[in-house]
Short mmCIF file of all heavy atoms in Angstrom, two decimals:
data_model
loop_
_atom_site.label_atom_id
_atom_site.label_comp_id
_atom_site.label_asym_id
_atom_site.label_seq_id
_atom_site.Cartn_x
_atom_site.Cartn_y
_atom_site.Cartn_z
N ALA Y 1 -47.30 -17.45 -2.64
CA ALA Y 1 -47.45 -16.60 -1.46
C ALA Y 1 -48.23 -17.28 -0.35
O ALA Y 1 -48.03 -16.99 0.84
CB ALA Y 1 -48.14 -15.29 -1.85
N ASP Y 2 -49.11 -18.22 -0.70
CA ASP Y 2 -49.90 -18.92 0.32
C ASP Y 2 -49.18 -20.14 0.88
O ASP Y 2 -49.77 -20.90 1.65
CB ASP Y 2 -51.27 -19.32 -0.23
CG ASP Y 2 -51.16 -20.24 -1.46
OD1 ASP Y 2 -50.04 -20.66 -1.80
OD2 ASP Y 2 -52.21 -20.55 -2.05
N GLY Y 3 -47.90 -20.34 0.51
CA GLY Y 3 -47.10 -21.42 1.07
C GLY Y 3 -47.09 -22.69 0.27
O GLY Y 3 -46.31 -23.60 0.58
N ARG Y 4 -47.92 -22.82 -0.75
CA ARG Y 4 -47.90 -24.03 -1.57
C ARG Y 4 -46.58 -24.14 -2.32
O ARG Y 4 -46.03 -23.13 -2.77
CB ARG Y 4 -49.06 -24.03 -2.57
CG ARG Y 4 -50.44 -24.22 -1.98
CD ARG Y 4 -51.51 -24.08 -3.06
NE ARG Y 4 -51.44 -22.77 -3.68
CZ ARG Y 4 -51.68 -22.55 -4.98
NH1 ARG Y 4 -51.98 -23.56 -5.78
NH2 ARG Y 4 -51.61 -21.33 -5.47
N THR Y 5 -46.06 -25.36 -2.43
CA THR Y 5 -44.80 -25.58 -3.14
C THR Y 5 -45.03 -26.53 -4.31
O THR Y 5 -45.88 -27.42 -4.27
CB THR Y 5 -43.72 -26.16 -2.21
OG1 THR Y 5 -44.17 -27.43 -1.71
CG2 THR Y 5 -43.42 -25.22 -1.06
N PHE Y 6 -44.23 -26.32 -5.35
CA PHE Y 6 -44.27 -27.15 -6.56
C PHE Y 6 -42.83 -27.45 -6.94
O PHE Y 6 -41.97 -26.57 -6.84
CB PHE Y 6 -44.97 -26.42 -7.70
CG PHE Y 6 -46.30 -25.82 -7.34
CD1 PHE Y 6 -46.37 -24.54 -6.80
CD2 PHE Y 6 -47.47 -26.53 -7.53
CE1 PHE Y 6 -47.59 -23.98 -6.47
CE2 PHE Y 6 -48.70 -25.97 -7.21
CZ PHE Y 6 -48.77 -24.70 -6.67
N ILE Y 7 -42.57 -28.66 -7.40
CA ILE Y 7 -41.23 -29.01 -7.84
C ILE Y 7 -41.29 -29.62 -9.24
O ILE Y 7 -42.29 -30.20 -9.64
CB ILE Y 7 -40.52 -29.99 -6.87
CG1 ILE Y 7 -41.34 -31.27 -6.68
CG2 ILE Y 7 -40.24 -29.31 -5.54
CD1 ILE Y 7 -40.62 -32.33 -5.85
N GLY Y 8 -40.21 -29.43 -9.98
CA GLY Y 8 -40.11 -29.97 -11.33
C GLY Y 8 -38.67 -29.92 -11.78
O GLY Y 8 -37.79 -29.40 -11.09
N ARG Y 9 -38.43 -30.43 -12.99
CA ARG Y 9 -37.05 -30.46 -13.50
C ARG Y 9 -37.06 -30.40 -15.01
O ARG Y 9 -38.08 -30.65 -15.66
CB ARG Y 9 -36.31 -31.70 -13.02
CG ARG Y 9 -36.44 -32.97 -13.87
CD ARG Y 9 -37.70 -33.73 -13.64
NE ARG Y 9 -37.66 -35.08 -14.20
CZ ARG Y 9 -38.72 -35.87 -14.34
NH1 ARG Y 9 -39.90 -35.44 -14.00
NH2 ARG Y 9 -38.60 -37.09 -14.85
N VAL Y 10 -35.90 -30.07 -15.58
CA VAL Y 10 -35.71 -30.15 -17.02
C VAL Y 10 -35.45 -31.62 -17.34
O VAL Y 10 -34.38 -32.15 -17.05
CB VAL Y 10 -34.55 -29.26 -17.50
CG1 VAL Y 10 -34.39 -29.38 -19.02
CG2 VAL Y 10 -34.77 -27.82 -17.10
N ASP Y 11 -36.46 -32.26 -17.89
CA ASP Y 11 -36.41 -33.69 -18.14
C ASP Y 11 -35.66 -33.97 -19.44
O ASP Y 11 -36.02 -33.41 -20.49
CB ASP Y 11 -37.85 -34.22 -18.21
CG ASP Y 11 -37.93 -35.73 -18.35
OD1 ASP Y 11 -36.88 -36.39 -18.30
OD2 ASP Y 11 -39.06 -36.24 -18.50
N GLY Y 12 -34.66 -34.83 -19.37
CA GLY Y 12 -33.91 -35.20 -20.57
C GLY Y 12 -34.58 -36.25 -21.41
O GLY Y 12 -34.08 -36.59 -22.49
N GLY Y 13 -35.71 -36.79 -20.97
CA GLY Y 13 -36.41 -37.83 -21.73
C GLY Y 13 -36.69 -39.03 -20.86
O GLY Y 13 -35.79 -39.81 -20.56
N SER Y 14 -37.94 -39.18 -20.42
CA SER Y 14 -38.26 -40.26 -19.48
C SER Y 14 -39.38 -41.13 -20.01
O SER Y 14 -40.08 -40.76 -20.96
CB SER Y 14 -38.70 -39.65 -18.13
OG SER Y 14 -39.87 -38.86 -18.31
N GLY Y 15 -39.53 -42.30 -19.41
CA GLY Y 15 -40.67 -43.14 -19.69
C GLY Y 15 -40.36 -44.32 -20.58
O GLY Y 15 -39.26 -44.88 -20.57
N HIS Y 16 -41.35 -44.72 -21.37
CA HIS Y 16 -41.20 -45.84 -22.31
C HIS Y 16 -40.76 -45.28 -23.67
O HIS Y 16 -39.58 -45.05 -23.88
CB HIS Y 16 -42.51 -46.63 -22.40
CG HIS Y 16 -42.52 -47.67 -23.48
ND1 HIS Y 16 -41.61 -48.71 -23.51
CD2 HIS Y 16 -43.32 -47.84 -24.57
CE1 HIS Y 16 -41.85 -49.47 -24.58
NE2 HIS Y 16 -42.88 -48.96 -25.24
N SER Y 17 -41.66 -45.00 -24.57
CA SER Y 17 -41.27 -44.51 -25.89
C SER Y 17 -41.78 -43.10 -26.16
O SER Y 17 -41.76 -42.65 -27.30
CB SER Y 17 -41.78 -45.45 -26.98
OG SER Y 17 -43.20 -45.53 -26.96
N GLY Y 18 -42.21 -42.40 -25.13
CA GLY Y 18 -42.62 -41.00 -25.26
C GLY Y 18 -41.67 -40.10 -24.51
O GLY Y 18 -41.24 -40.42 -23.40
N LYS Y 19 -41.33 -38.95 -25.09
CA LYS Y 19 -40.40 -38.00 -24.47
C LYS Y 19 -41.04 -36.62 -24.42
O LYS Y 19 -41.36 -36.03 -25.45
CB LYS Y 19 -39.08 -37.92 -25.26
CG LYS Y 19 -38.42 -39.28 -25.52
CD LYS Y 19 -38.00 -39.97 -24.25
CE LYS Y 19 -37.32 -41.30 -24.54
NZ LYS Y 19 -37.07 -42.09 -23.31
N ARG Y 20 -41.25 -36.09 -23.18
CA ARG Y 20 -41.82 -34.75 -23.03
C ARG Y 20 -40.81 -33.70 -23.46
O ARG Y 20 -39.60 -33.96 -23.59
CB ARG Y 20 -42.25 -34.52 -21.58
CG ARG Y 20 -41.11 -34.57 -20.58
CD ARG Y 20 -41.46 -33.91 -19.25
NE ARG Y 20 -42.67 -34.41 -18.61
CZ ARG Y 20 -42.73 -35.44 -17.77
NH1 ARG Y 20 -41.62 -36.11 -17.47
NH2 ARG Y 20 -43.86 -35.80 -17.21
N SER Y 21 -41.29 -32.48 -23.65
CA SER Y 21 -40.40 -31.39 -24.02
C SER Y 21 -39.49 -31.04 -22.84
O SER Y 21 -39.74 -31.43 -21.70
CB SER Y 21 -41.21 -30.15 -24.43
OG SER Y 21 -41.67 -29.45 -23.30
N ASN Y 22 -38.43 -30.27 -23.12
CA ASN Y 22 -37.49 -29.85 -22.08
C ASN Y 22 -38.00 -28.70 -21.24
O ASN Y 22 -37.37 -28.32 -20.25
CB ASN Y 22 -36.14 -29.46 -22.69
CG ASN Y 22 -35.46 -30.60 -23.41
OD1 ASN Y 22 -35.08 -30.46 -24.57
ND2 ASN Y 22 -35.29 -31.72 -22.75
N ASP Y 23 -39.13 -28.11 -21.62
CA ASP Y 23 -39.70 -27.01 -20.84
C ASP Y 23 -40.19 -27.53 -19.49
O ASP Y 23 -40.57 -28.69 -19.35
CB ASP Y 23 -40.86 -26.36 -21.58
CG ASP Y 23 -40.45 -25.76 -22.91
OD1 ASP Y 23 -39.27 -25.39 -23.04
OD2 ASP Y 23 -41.31 -25.67 -23.81
N VAL Y 24 -40.19 -26.64 -18.49
CA VAL Y 24 -40.72 -26.97 -17.16
C VAL Y 24 -42.02 -26.21 -16.98
O VAL Y 24 -42.06 -24.98 -17.09
CB VAL Y 24 -39.72 -26.60 -16.04
CG1 VAL Y 24 -40.21 -27.17 -14.71
CG2 VAL Y 24 -38.33 -27.14 -16.36
N HIS Y 25 -43.09 -26.93 -16.68
CA HIS Y 25 -44.42 -26.33 -16.60
C HIS Y 25 -45.02 -26.59 -15.22
O HIS Y 25 -44.97 -27.71 -14.71
CB HIS Y 25 -45.33 -26.93 -17.68
CG HIS Y 25 -46.76 -26.52 -17.57
ND1 HIS Y 25 -47.67 -27.19 -16.77
CD2 HIS Y 25 -47.45 -25.51 -18.16
CE1 HIS Y 25 -48.85 -26.61 -16.87
NE2 HIS Y 25 -48.75 -25.59 -17.71
N PHE Y 26 -45.59 -25.54 -14.63
CA PHE Y 26 -46.29 -25.66 -13.35
C PHE Y 26 -47.67 -25.05 -13.48
O PHE Y 26 -47.81 -23.89 -13.89
CB PHE Y 26 -45.54 -24.92 -12.23
CG PHE Y 26 -44.15 -25.40 -11.96
CD1 PHE Y 26 -43.06 -24.77 -12.55
CD2 PHE Y 26 -43.92 -26.48 -11.12
CE1 PHE Y 26 -41.77 -25.20 -12.30
CE2 PHE Y 26 -42.64 -26.92 -10.87
CZ PHE Y 26 -41.56 -26.29 -11.46
#
């Protein structure tokens, strides 16, 4: 409501050898 924006995505698996969950968290 105060105009702040946040962006994210359902990540299929990024990085080196670690893979975050498919959930989107803000």
Side-chain angles (χ1 to χ4, degrees):
D2 60 6
R4 290 175 301 144
T5 61
F6 310 87
I7 57 174
R9 87 280 194 193
V10 180
D11 185 5
S14 62
H16 172 59
S17 61
K19 307 297 181 188
R20 62 162 54 89
S21 80
N22 298 127
D23 299 334
V24 189
H25 172 274
F26 300 95

